[in-house]
Amino acid sequence: MSITVIDQGPELYWFVSNALLQEDIVLKHIQNISAGEKNILQDLPTIVIMNGDDKSLQPEVFINRMRNHVFARNTLFIVITADTSVDYKKDLLIAGAGQILYRGRGFSPSPKFFASLIKWFLTNKDPDPQIFDFKPAPFQAEAEFTSYGRIGWINSTQCMIETNVNLNPGQSIEIKNTLFDELEIRNTKLECIEKNKVGRYYQYANSILCKIVSKDQFKDPKKISAWIENNCDTSRHKPIKLVYFEADSDYRDEIKSMIKSDKRYCARGYDTIDNLQEVLNYQIPQLVLINRALIQKDKAKFEAMKNFIQSNFCYCVTYSNSDIFKIEDFKKNYEFAMHSPTPIDLTLLESMIFKLENKLPDNLKTDKNKIYFNKHSNYSRLSFHSPCQLKEIALNGAGVDLPFSVSNFCACEISSNAFATAEMNRSQFFRVFNNKVTANGVYHRMVFMGQNVKDNEQVRNSIEKINEVGFERWLNGDTDSEKKKS
């Protein structure tokens, strides 16, 4: 567990080190982007903190590149900046920034809040509810929820998507997407058929098979079918998901050079097998390549591989970069896997992929009636929209009711006239802290992203007035506490 700070000057590093003085976390200060990239790819730090005002860093470009790297995609990023404009926040959010904190002249984030933020990042899937001091005031108002996801493939009536929205079978949600706009398909919703059966290509909590529901259920499927027929040459299917487990940073560089974007496989990499069971169930790969040194270090955890192979179409190949571990012992003890006598090179990898592709079951093979979008295609991007209810507001976040659950750590946008009444921007950005089922749906506690000093003061003032006169009177502009007393 480590944190890297990327900034030309020392001030940001001093702030981080002072805020985390009581924490046992290794800190490293890097002064330029090339050294920062090298550090990330070699050390795989848990969190990277960047100066968002240093134009040479281009955080939104850098974060997007790192979040698409075979091994670095699990690193979390915090951007500290004086630019909290809506467009910049959206760019950072879409690139994959975990949090955006305001730092302006004479102002820095609260060290206490920052330390709590780091603790949250380190336990984001199941955080301690007491990490943040959450003192909400009533803030009951109609609102609109927006989040983002990807389309993996589409046919005339269905699509496979990846999203942080946790739809259950039968539930639906409104979506917006460039393809549906171009085809003039109106009132588009996606209805969940099944979820989490095929693994992920991107970094969302759920992969969901959906039925496409639109205004004209007779003509719209024909429009999509015709578009697919005319654009079949744009389809980019990668039927094989490959997962690497490799601790040696130099060999990880070799692995990265083997992964070609124009091949029919995609790859993910991890430096330990600590969460092997979780990774396998999340990715659902068809090929796993693992260094025998990691198995030797923790044999008990490797047993998850045997159970996974028994239940899924998957092959596991072990390899070694040294002669320390006798391959005969692995062949004897782990008959469910194959064991390469040599390290994996490009020729061997492509030979494996070729043989594996010929054995693929029908449900994993390329379907000519589907378009598989390239990750760089605008058609692959979609946004989710739903009405929601604001319930409460606090200095560091808000409480929101949704008709479905959203995964912890999901980034989203909540728009409401109530924020405008508080003299803030009508649209506010959040990251989901946790959720629980209630009688009114699913309650989500959210943490603000990218608030500046003005927004923070407006929230503080609004909370004070709401506590004095009540939410309804505050909403109607009646904030005279003397009238309440009389």
Side-chain angles (χ1 to χ4, degrees), residues 92-118:
L92 289 172
L93 185 154
I94 292 171
Q99 181 56 286
I100 306 159
L101 296 177
Y102 177 77
R103 180 183 65 168
R105 182 172 295 180
F107 179 86
S108 291
S110 158
K112 180 181 177 182
F113 174 77
F114 184 82
S116 297
L117 182 74
I118 296 300

Side-chain angles (χ1 to χ4, degrees), residues 86 89 413-416 419 424-430:
V86 172
K89 282 191 281 192
E413 180 179 352
I414 304 293
S415 300
S416 175
F419 289 135
M424 303 161 60
N425 193 295
R426 186 180 181 279
S427 293
Q428 295 293 314
F429 295 90
F430 296 90

Side-chain angles (χ1 to χ4, degrees), residues 25 136 249 252 254:
I25 301 176
S249 60
R252 287 201 301 263
E254 288 188 39

Side-chain angles (χ1 to χ4, degrees), residues 1 33 64 100 108 127 129 138 171 282 336 377 386 390 419 469:
M1 183 170 60
I33 205 71
N64 182 66
I100 306 159
S108 291
Q171 286 186 309
Y282 178 80
F336 58 86
S377 168
S386 173
L390 275 166
F419 289 135
V469 305

Side-chain angles (χ1 to χ4, degrees), residues 166-184:
N166 189 24
L167 294 179
N168 290 315
Q171 286 186 309
S172 62
I173 189 169
E174 179 185 341
I175 61 104
K176 291 183 180 178
N177 170 267
T178 301
L179 175 60
F180 296 111
D181 289 342
E182 289 183 3
L183 296 179
E184 297 185 345

Side-chain angles (χ1 to χ4, degrees), residues 68-269:
N68 279 290
H69 190 278
V70 173
F71 284 93
R73 61 183 63 243
N74 292 318
T75 295
L76 300 174
F77 289 84
I78 297 174
V79 178
I80 298 185
T81 175
D83 182 358
T84 55
S85 63
V86 172
D87 287 344
Y88 189 46
K89 282 191 281 192
K90 275 190 176 180
D91 287 344
L92 289 172
L93 185 154
I94 292 171
Q99 181 56 286
I100 306 159
L101 296 177
Y102 177 77
R103 180 183 65 168
R105 182 172 295 180
F107 179 86
S108 291
S110 158
K112 180 181 177 182
F113 174 77
F114 184 82
S116 297
L117 182 74
I118 296 300
K119 290 179 182 177
W120 173 35
F121 271 46
L122 297 176
T123 59
N124 62 79
K125 292 182 180 178
D126 187 22
D128 178 356
Q130 306 305 316
I131 285 179
F132 295 109
D133 186 17
F134 190 69
K135 296 178 180 178
F139 204 74
Q140 299 179 355
E142 300 287 332
E144 300 161 19
F145 164 87
T146 300
S147 188
Y148 302 92
R150 292 278 193 164
I151 298 179
W153 59 256
I154 186 171
N155 65 21
S156 60
T157 59
Q158 296 180 346
C159 62
M160 181 67 71
I161 66 170
E162 293 188 38
T163 173
N164 286 319
V165 175
N166 189 24
L167 294 179
N168 290 315
Q171 286 186 309
S172 62
I173 189 169
E174 179 185 341
I175 61 104
K176 291 183 180 178
N177 170 267
T178 301
L179 175 60
F180 296 111
D181 289 342
E182 289 183 3
L183 296 179
E184 297 185 345
I185 295 175
R186 310 297 183 193
N187 303 337
T188 312
K189 292 184 178 181
L190 298 182
E191 180 184 315
C192 174
I193 298 173
E194 63 178 29
K195 64 181 181 180
N196 300 337
K197 298 290 182 68
V198 297
R200 293 23 165 217
Y201 284 91
Y202 300 101
Q203 289 177 284
Y204 295 95
N206 301 296
S207 59
I208 303 180
L209 176 63
C210 295
K211 175 184 176 182
I212 301 169
V213 181
S214 60
K215 185 176 181 179
D216 192 331
Q217 288 293 91
F218 177 72
K219 292 182 180 179
D220 291 341
K222 293 182 178 181
K223 290 181 182 179
I224 299 173
S225 182
W227 186 89
I228 290 173
E229 187 175 347
N230 292 328
N231 292 273
C232 58
D233 60 332
T234 67
S235 191
R236 294 290 182 269
H237 189 205
K238 297 192 174 186
I240 296 172
K241 286 193 287 294
L242 159 65
V243 175
Y244 257 104
F245 293 91
E246 175 57 65
D248 183 87
S249 60
D250 290 335
Y251 191 60
R252 287 201 301 263
D253 284 342
E254 288 188 39
I255 293 170
K256 174 62 173 67
S257 68
M258 296 181 214
I259 309 303
K260 308 296 183 181
S261 61
D262 60 343
K263 299 299 181 180
R264 288 171 55 79
Y265 60 88
C266 66
R268 302 288 183 267

Side-chain angles (χ1 to χ4, degrees), residues 331-350:
K331 288 180 178 179
K332 177 182 177 181
N333 296 327
Y334 306 109
E335 294 179 349
F336 58 86
M338 294 177 283
H339 308 281
S340 172
T342 63
I344 307 298
D345 58 20
L346 180 59
T347 302
L348 181 56
L349 175 61
E350 294 194 341

